[in-house]
Amino acid sequence: MNQLRLEAEESSSKVEELQTKVKTLEQENLQKEQEIISLTHKNSVLESEVDKYESQVKELKAAATEGAQHGTQNETLTRRLQLLEEEAEEADRTLREANEKLRQTDVKAGHFERKVQALEQERDQWEAKYEEMSKKYATVQKELEDFQNEINTI
């Protein structure tokens, strides 16, 4: 009987010990479940932040690509502007050269016009002299014919 009592006491102390262990394990289990719930919530919050950051990364990549395209387009337009400026300078230089040649041509044309006028006046004088000489020649020719006729009649 004593032995049964001892066994009963041992069993009873083991039961108490096991019950205490069960309570401790239940408390630990409850803490672990709360920790799991907390971590699950934290995980979902972090996943939403990751999604948000991924969308921001996509937007930034798109903006960077667009910026690169604008940069390339800007470089192209800058080169084009530079070429147009060079063409404008070349056209301006050509225009100045053409204006200088035109001015020189105008000066030469004025010189030649004065020369033409002088030559026309000289020609008019020569024509007048020719007409005068033709008249004198005709007169002298007539006098010669008259003189020959007089000589023939003599």
Side-chain angles (χ1 to χ4, degrees):
M1 271 284 237
N2 279 338
Q3 206 172 12
L4 276 176
R5 261 191 207 150
L6 268 171
E7 281 181 25
E9 279 180 24
E10 277 180 30
S11 292
S12 167
S13 70
K14 260 194 178 186
V15 165
E16 283 177 19
E17 192 180 306
L18 287 174
Q19 283 177 345
T20 309
K21 235 181 186 178
V22 165
K23 280 183 182 179
T24 307
L25 288 174
E26 283 178 350
Q27 282 180 346
E28 285 180 14
N29 190 23
L30 184 61
Q31 286 177 346
K32 297 291 180 189
E33 284 179 5
Q34 287 177 350
E35 194 175 326
I36 288 174
I37 291 171
S38 172
L39 289 174
T40 304
H41 176 68
K42 228 180 198 181
N43 192 25
S44 67
V45 168
L46 289 174
E47 283 179 353
S48 69
E49 284 185 27
V50 165
D51 290 342
K52 183 175 104 178
Y53 290 139
E54 284 178 349
S55 67
Q56 283 181 346
V57 165
K58 285 180 186 177
E59 289 173 7
L60 291 173
K61 281 183 180 179
T65 303
E66 189 175 320
Q69 288 174 348
H70 286 310
T72 304
Q73 191 176 26
N74 189 22
E75 289 174 14
T76 302
L77 290 175
T78 302
R79 275 187 252 126
R80 201 165 171 198
L81 177 63
Q82 187 178 11
L83 288 174
L84 289 174
E85 286 174 346
E86 289 173 3
E87 287 177 12
E89 288 174 4
E90 180 67 27
D92 187 47
R93 189 174 345 94
T94 304
L95 179 63
R96 276 188 264 123
E97 289 173 0
N99 282 339
E100 180 62 25
K101 286 180 181 178
L102 179 62
R103 187 189 63 74
Q104 289 175 356
T105 304
D106 282 344
V107 168
K108 285 180 182 178
H111 174 71
F112 286 124
E113 283 178 6
R114 288 188 297 277
K115 215 172 193 181
V116 165
Q117 286 175 349
L119 289 173
E120 285 177 345
Q121 286 176 350
E122 191 177 336
R123 181 201 65 202
D124 291 343
Q125 288 173 355
W126 280 106
E127 284 178 352
K129 274 187 181 179
Y130 174 75
E131 287 177 16
E132 185 182 322
M133 291 304 218
S134 287
K135 286 179 185 177
K136 280 184 182 179
Y137 177 74
T139 307
V140 169
Q141 187 74 29
K142 189 168 188 227
E143 285 178 7
L144 180 64
E145 284 177 15
D146 289 343
F147 183 68
Q148 281 179 351
N149 284 339
E150 272 181 40
I151 290 183
N152 284 339
T153 54
I154 301 188

